[in-house]
Amino acid sequence: MTMKEHLSRRRFIQYSSLGAATLGTGLTHPNPSAEPAEIQRLPREVWIGTVSLTGLSAADSQGMVEKALHVMQALVPFKPDIICLPESFAFTNIQQPFSVPKVAEKIPGPIATPFLNFAKTHRCYVICPTYSLHKGSIYIAAVLIDRTGNVVGEYHKCRPTDGEIASGVRPGSLDPPLFETDFGKIGIQICFDIKWEEGWQSLKEKGAEIIFWPSAYGGGREVNSRAWRHQVYVVSSTQKGTAKICDVTGDVLAQTGSWQPNWTCGSVNLEKAFILTWPAVSYFGKIQQTYGRKIKLTTFDEEEWTILESLDAGVNVADVLKEFNLQPQHQVLKTVAAIQSKSR
């Protein structure tokens, strides 16, 4: 090994020990704690942390809570706006037997409370999935906690498995809540919900910009497909396998992997519109002449999608769309569907 190779490897080890946001994916971020005064964020840039329990185990639920909190500490230097934990994580890979009716808690209970404290201390939102006892029924829930450590609300898994129902769980409403945060509108689906369309579509129609998916498994390409089908960012958090952040195009922005199995952190820009390339392409030249580097246009030739993204704090995507009489894809399709219905 040459001296140059030795130094390169040493730098890699030093870097990885500090925690690279997307190590193992080919995507990297600078050390988040370095020169914070020089780091400037776009107005709607959201930093997201997500967790995988791959390789983690504990004696009981409180032991798993402690391990989850330890993993979350690695995300703190990135100053995340929100961190998502996996489905019923506190009861995953534990040695102590449990029954769902006995561990279901009125929120906030023994599982959720430590994460209220974490959220308040680190000024971030936290999605804490657990078994919730709500109005006399038990649900597989995801509890949204705000930056002050208060509970915003709960999402109840609407499509539990038959085995989960047999354990005492009740299906939640097919009309999932939309949560307003200080950085944007978010929704939640849980694990088996990914096999059905209605929850995802409902959240998109309500205006969700990011949909979080706490799960028992990785989901693979299904997760990516939900992003591009509904033109939303999708964030998975898993009991096992890959946890990831997917762009509105379905491309992976950050993910866990063999070199960093338990967490990843990355940013998304909510000043972004998903539009049909045709006939909008006739305006692309004018947009680029008008805004130059302030607007980024990324066209996917075969799909005929284009992503219009603002890279400037003074430029709002909605204003650019209005200026050139353009609409996001979902609005175009809604208009066309109405015309089709009227013509039948």
Side-chain angles (χ1 to χ4, degrees):
M1 178 181 292
T2 67
M3 180 60 73
K4 182 178 180 180
E5 290 170 333
H6 176 74
L7 289 173
S8 297
R9 179 172 177 81
R10 185 172 66 184
R11 291 193 188 101
F12 170 80
I13 293 170
Q14 290 171 342
Y15 177 72
S16 62
S17 68
L18 292 171
T22 53
L23 199 60
T25 67
L27 306 173
T28 59
H29 294 277
N31 177 1
S33 61
E35 301 176 346
E38 297 182 11
I39 297 176
Q40 295 184 347
R41 292 169 59 161
L42 292 168
R44 303 205 67 208
E45 179 181 329
V46 183
W47 278 81
I48 300 170
T50 186
V51 173
S52 170
L53 299 184
T54 298
L56 299 182
S57 61
D60 54 25
S61 60
Q62 288 304 313
M64 186 55 73
V65 165
E66 291 175 6
K67 291 202 172 184
L69 288 167
H70 179 73
V71 170
M72 291 167 69
Q73 282 294 330
L75 293 161
V76 170
F78 291 90
K79 297 181 175 15
D81 294 292
I82 186 167
I83 299 174
C84 186
L85 290 159
E87 179 185 26
S88 56
F89 68 94
F91 304 95
T92 300
N93 303 336
I94 62 172
Q95 298 170 13
Q96 185 180 70
F98 70 92
S99 68
V100 171
K102 288 185 178 180
V103 301
E105 62 183 272
K106 291 185 178 180
I107 304 300
I111 302 302
T113 296
F115 298 94
L116 271 64
N117 299 331
F118 182 97
K120 183 177 181 179
T121 299
H122 299 293
R123 304 294 297 172
C124 70
Y125 287 83
V126 174
I127 295 175
C128 175
T130 189
Y131 294 106
S132 171
L133 183 59
H134 184 79
K135 296 183 179 180
S137 295
I138 298 170
Y139 299 96
I140 296 174
V143 181
L144 179 63
I145 304 163
D146 69 17
R147 297 183 197 267
T148 64
N150 291 310
V151 173
V152 177
E154 302 177 31
Y155 166 68
H156 299 150
K157 186 176 182 177
C158 64
R159 296 288 187 174
T161 67
D162 51 350
E164 289 166 342
I165 293 173
S167 73
V169 167
R170 183 176 179 178
S173 169
L174 292 176
D175 184 24
L178 182 75
F179 297 107
E180 297 267 3
T181 72
D182 58 17
F183 56 78
K185 298 176 181 179
I186 70 170
I188 304 171
Q189 295 284 275
I190 297 177
C191 201
F192 209 36
D193 290 341
I194 203 169
K195 303 295 184 183
W196 280 266
E197 185 73 17
E198 71 270 289
W200 301 83
Q201 186 61 34
S202 174
L203 287 170
K204 175 62 180 181
E205 290 173 357
K206 291 178 180 181
E209 297 167 289
I210 309 171
I211 298 178
F212 291 84
W213 187 64
S215 177
Y217 71 109
R221 285 175 289 183
E222 278 194 287
V223 179
N224 305 65
S225 72
R226 284 298 175 190
W228 65 257
R229 286 179 67 182
H230 301 289
Q231 302 95 55
V232 295
Y233 291 100
V234 176
V235 181
S236 65
S237 182
T238 59
Q239 294 178 10
K240 62 181 180 181
T242 302
K244 60 189 173 183
I245 302 168
C246 290
D247 201 346
V248 297
T249 60
D251 295 306
V252 174
L253 297 175
Q255 67 180 29
T256 59
S258 58
W259 290 95
Q260 188 168 288
N262 297 127
W263 63 271
T264 191
C265 190
S267 64
V268 303
N269 182 11
L270 299 184
E271 276 297 318
K272 182 181 285 190
F274 190 115
I275 62 178
L276 293 170
T277 304
W278 179 262
V281 66
S282 61
Y283 296 101
F284 288 176
K286 182 64 174 175
I287 291 172
Q288 291 170 328
Q289 289 174 11
T290 303
Y291 291 98
R293 296 181 182 180
K294 295 179 181 180
I295 287 290
K296 180 181 179 182
L297 292 169
T298 305
T299 295
F300 293 72
D301 289 343
E302 293 190 356
E303 295 86 353
E304 295 197 7
W305 303 331
T306 295
I307 307 302
L308 189 153
E309 180 177 7
S310 172
L311 301 179
D312 187 272
V315 179
N316 184 280
V317 163
D319 292 338
V320 176
L321 293 178
K322 185 177 180 181
E323 179 181 353
F324 292 94
N325 196 29
L326 301 175
Q327 290 184 320
Q329 176 179 289
H330 71 278
Q331 290 182 0
V332 172
L333 297 184
K334 185 176 181 180
T335 299
V336 173
I339 295 170
Q340 292 168 347
S341 295
K342 189 175 180 179
S343 299
R344 280 193 170 92

